Structure formats: C-alpha cells, structure tokens
C-alpha cells in the first residue's frame, strides 16, 4: 500500500490534481492518492501490451467476478446474468430513472448528498423531492418517517446512497428493511448507489440493498470498482437486479449503452474483484488509521470543528459553523492553500460544512490540517 509523495502526485493529470494551482493542496474530488493495486495494474499493463484497447464485448466475466466478490465479502448472492455493465454509476442512474418514469413523477433523495444526484434527476427529466437526512448530534441517518410520508405523495424512485456520501453512514439492515417496506407499500423503486460499498470500514456492517429478499422487485443496485480500487477514469460500473420485473427495466436500456463502457474499465474491474480483495483489506486498515489520525489532528489543531467519523470511505464531513460563523468555510480554507468541497453543493442547509478527502499521505493530510488551523487562527486574530 503506497501513498505517493506530493511531487509524484503533482505529475498526475486527473481532475483532482489539475483543478487547482500547485500551491493548493486538493482535498476535494473523491479520488485516492494511492498507487494502484498490483493485480489491477498488472491486468491493465497486460491489456496495453496486447494493444487490447478496442470496444468492450459485453461480458468478459464481469458478472461472475462481481458475484464471487459480493458473495465472499457480504454474503450477497448475485446472478451473474442479472448484472449489466454501464459507463459509470451516473449513466446507470440516469438510464434507470428515465425508464422508471422520472419525467412523470418526482424522484426523491436525501441531502446532504453527492451533488450529481440533483443533476441526474434533472437529466432524466424529473422533479426533485428532497427528504433530508435526520441529524442526531454529530451523526446522520435516513429519516424513515419523512421518507414514508414523501413516498405516499407520488414518487417514481428514491435514490439511496448506500453508504452515504458525504456523511459516511452505513445504513443499518433494519433501516433498509423499513425503507423497502415503505417503497413496496407506495410503489416506489429504490435505486441504490453502492459505489462506496467496498470501502465500508467494517465490511461486515454493510448491507447491500438486494441482499434483502423483499427488495428484489423494487430495488436496483449500482455497483462499481471505481472507488474501492481508484479506477474512476476507466469508466466501468454495473446495474444489478434480482427479479425478472426489474431486469426487464434494465433490458430496456438503449443498445448503445454497452458500447459506451470502457474496455480497460472492465479489465481493471474484473482484476479488482477477482484478485484485489487482499489489497482492499490492507487499504481499509490504512483508511481506518488515517481516520484516527484525522481525529487526533482535528482535536488538537481544529477544536470547534464538529464531525462524526465516517463508517465507510475516506470523506470527512466537517461542520465549521463553530469556527467560521457567518463565513464561507470553503473560501477561508482555500485562501490558506487547502481546497475542500463546499458544503452548499450537497444541498439542504449544508453551507457551513466542507468535505475533506483524507485518502492521501500522512504528510499531505498533516500539512492540510496545519493550513486549515492557520486559517482559523487568522480569523480569530
Ligand atoms: C455516491 C457516489 N456515486 C457516484 C459517484 C461517481 O461515480 P461514477 O464516476 O461511476 O459516475 C461518486 C463519486 O464520487 C459517488 O460518491
């Protein structure tokens, strides 16, 4: 497990490392500053050696590889034939929402949430129905009563973020069971975005939506290796279904959907699912350690910033209202040389929050928090 130095990272051409000038530490976009898993790198290098960079042929064992991974990791049994590759999670979500009648009814989701959820609904011709998460002290959870009430009012689909970006909540099995009961009662489809699932920091705690039998005829899972193994640029994700009724909806995707999937993405994802579990386990140990490091740094250098440790992934959702009352925290930190995602993008009343990506070297993380601490100190001075 190697987290490259700042100089190496600054050679990267990805969005995270090219959006801001070199003097700014980017703790923004959800990419990890990690070296690729060896089995994934080897499979990709081998494909390049063969010049195997044509179109994706439709299967290549992606369904079988995912089914084996999901069974071993979460005990979730997937029929490999019920997995359809798509370009990315966003494309899968928009195609699903279109076919689920988003243009005739509203689509619900729970802010604060990954900002493209707003865009996906609009792209599918839908109207937004925001049902915010409930906040309990520093922690967050689905507001199941509010969701039930919203579902009664004519909702085509609910987009579940499972685990939830940006708050890092791994929804509990009982919560998902209640959500599914509500959805079934009111005829609402659930589109479960499970892109962060491989990064559940306690893998046993994660419940895939479709592992619940009752979800089979209302649920759709969007899965991908792109967060777990850092393959976002390779463009491969998949929609998984568990009943003939939901599979028929996916079968209605335009035929060109398949041709838009990244061939290298499929090759990398198959390698990740088949041979990357050991690397993923080591990554999770590292991310848990970095989460502890960040907790120590916040305690000592950023007192007054309130957060709850994420249960999945590498994103920290920081309430900065105590240190920057009435000010845009993101702008204050940017002036001190640290780029963070502004809370307002995540909807709800999240303007006083910033989201920090801690999947980086300890050196970069320590330097970022030191700069943030200076920003707070300057305001207080
Ligand atoms: C919850 C969630 N869904 C989807 C995505 C993006 O996935 P893709 O690039 O496959 O569309 C992200 C990226 O950060 C995410 O956090």
């Amino acid at each position: 497990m190697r987290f490259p130095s700042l100089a190496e990272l600054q050679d990267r051409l990805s969005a995270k490392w090219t959006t801001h000038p070199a003097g700014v530490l980017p703790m923004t976009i959800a990419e990890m500053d990690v070296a690729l898993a060896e089995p994934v790198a080897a499979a990709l290098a081998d494909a390049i050696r063969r010049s195997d960079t044509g179109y994706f042929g439709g299967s290549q064992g992606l369904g079988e590889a995912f089914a084996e991974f999901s069974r071993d990791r979460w005990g979730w049994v997937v029929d490999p034939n019920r997995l359809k590759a798509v370009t990315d999670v966003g494309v899968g979500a928009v195609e699903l929402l279109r076919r689920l009648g988003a243009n005739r009814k509203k689509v619900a989701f729970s802010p604060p949430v990954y900002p493209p959820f707003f865009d996906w609904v609009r792209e599918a011709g839908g109207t937004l129905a925001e049902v915010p998460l409930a906040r309990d002290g520093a922690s967050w959870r689905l507001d199941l009563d509010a969701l039930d009430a919203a579902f009664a009012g004519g909702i085509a689909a609910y987009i579940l973020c499972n685990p939830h970006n940006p708050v890092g909540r791994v929804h509990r099995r009982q919560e998902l069971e209640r959500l599914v009961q509500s959805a079934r009662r009111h005829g609402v489809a659930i589109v479960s975005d499970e892109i962060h699932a491989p990064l559940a920091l306690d893998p046993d705690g994660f419940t895939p939506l479709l592992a619940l039998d009752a979800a089979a005829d209302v649920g759709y899972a969007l899965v991908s290796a792109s967060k777990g193994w850092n393959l976002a640029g390779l463009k491969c994700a998949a929609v998984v279904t568990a009943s003939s009724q939901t599979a028929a909806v996916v079968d209605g995707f335009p035929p060109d959907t398949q041709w838009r999937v990244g061939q290298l993405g499929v090759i990398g994802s198959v390698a990740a699912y088949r041979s990357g579990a050991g690397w993923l386990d080591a990554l999770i140990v590292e991310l848990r350690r970095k989460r502890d490091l960040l907790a120590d740094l916040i305690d000592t250098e950023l007192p007054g910033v309130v957060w709850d440790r994420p249960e999945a992934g590498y994103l920290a959702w920081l309430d900065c209202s105590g240190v920057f009352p009435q000010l845009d925290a993101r702008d204050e930190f940017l002036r001190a040389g640290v780029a963070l995602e502004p809370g307002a993008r995540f909807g709800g009343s999240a303007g006083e929050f910033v989201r920090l990506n801690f999947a980086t070297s300890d050196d970069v993380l320590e330097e970022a928090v030191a700069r943030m601490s200076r920003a707070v100190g300057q305001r207080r001075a």
Side-chain angles (χ1 to χ4, degrees):
M1 183 68 35
R2 199 173 73 79
F3 285 83
S5 68
L6 185 56
E8 283 173 88
L9 293 167
Q10 284 171 336
D11 274 347
R12 288 190 179 181
L13 301 177
S14 66
K16 183 178 180 192
W17 286 96
T18 50
T19 301
H20 298 279
V24 173
L25 292 176
M27 315 297 279
T28 48
I29 301 170
E31 302 169 16
M32 293 188 282
D33 296 342
V34 71
L36 275 184
E38 195 41 54
V40 175
L44 292 172
D46 198 44
I48 300 289
R49 188 188 50 73
R50 294 193 311 273
S51 300
D52 192 1
T53 51
Y55 286 107
F56 166 54
S59 165
Q60 286 176 206
L62 182 64
E64 288 75 8
F66 180 77
E68 213 170 294
F69 174 79
S70 68
R71 188 201 57 210
D72 292 352
R73 198 138 193 108
W74 304 304
W76 172 27
V77 179
V78 168
D79 175 348
N81 299 314
R82 291 248 164 95
L83 177 143
K84 182 174 179 60
V86 286
T87 318
D88 56 25
V89 166
V91 166
V94 171
E95 292 298 345
L96 275 174
L97 294 177
R98 284 193 175 121
R99 259 138 222 96
L100 291 168
N103 60 340
R104 296 186 302 277
K105 286 182 174 177
K106 292 185 197 155
V107 177
F109 54 88
S110 296
V113 77
Y114 178 60
F117 277 26
F118 296 80
D119 307 322
W120 296 345
V121 175
R122 292 193 194 100
E123 189 176 337
T127 307
L128 314 179
E130 298 180 37
V131 185
L133 292 179
R135 189 174 185 189
D136 183 5
S139 70
W140 304 80
R141 57 182 170 72
L142 296 175
D143 188 337
L144 293 164
D145 291 335
L147 284 166
D148 191 61
F151 288 0
I155 298 283
Y158 173 67
I159 319 177
L160 173 71
C161 200
N162 182 35
H164 195 105
N165 172 6
V167 303
R169 169 84 169 176
V170 173
H171 305 298
R172 307 295 187 261
R173 176 177 279 268
Q174 299 88 312
E175 294 167 344
L176 296 177
E177 281 167 349
R178 270 193 63 197
L179 180 75
V180 169
Q181 278 167 15
S182 284
R184 292 177 66 91
R185 204 167 35 247
H186 300 296
V188 173
I190 304 178
V191 175
S192 184
D193 176 343
E194 301 188 351
I195 195 170
H196 290 274
L199 294 173
L201 297 176
D202 167 14
D204 290 341
F206 171 71
T207 304
L209 180 77
L210 295 181
L212 305 179
D213 289 341
D217 40 354
V218 289
Y220 302 80
L222 291 162
V223 303
S224 177
S226 77
K227 293 292 150 200
W229 289 269
N230 214 32
L231 307 178
L234 299 184
K235 292 293 166 196
C236 172
V239 185
V240 181
T241 49
S243 70
S244 48
Q245 194 179 319
T246 50
V249 171
V250 176
D251 286 344
F253 282 13
D256 270 1
T257 316
Q258 177 194 309
W259 297 99
R260 296 172 183 156
V261 176
Q263 156 83 337
L264 290 178
V266 178
I267 290 172
S269 301
V270 169
Y273 292 136
R274 287 223 173 106
S275 318
W279 183 90
L280 184 66
D281 288 338
L283 173 71
I284 285 172
V285 170
E286 258 308 286
L287 292 180
R288 293 171 76 126
R289 195 187 60 71
K290 287 186 190 295
R291 182 181 59 175
D292 291 346
L293 170 63
L294 179 62
D296 288 345
L297 292 170
I298 289 178
D299 277 355
T300 52
E301 299 189 46
L302 287 171
V305 168
V306 175
W307 70 307
D308 199 22
R309 295 173 183 225
E311 298 169 335
Y314 47 79
L315 303 169
W317 184 238
L318 307 178
D319 180 347
C320 301
S321 55
V323 294
F324 289 131
Q326 321 290 326
L327 288 172
D328 185 322
R330 186 262 192 165
D331 290 351
E332 298 298 314
F333 290 132
L334 190 57
R335 263 196 284 281
V338 184
L340 300 156
E341 287 294 331
R345 291 189 63 219
F346 295 76
S349 54
E352 66 274 34
F353 286 78
V354 289
R355 194 192 71 178
L356 179 149
N357 174 346
F358 60 85
T360 189
S361 70
D362 291 4
D363 286 350
V364 170
L365 185 57
E366 283 163 0
E367 175 60 21
V369 175
R371 292 184 190 185
M372 291 166 72
S373 174
R374 280 201 290 278
V376 173
Q378 272 160 12
R379 269 289 156 194
R380 287 209 176 112

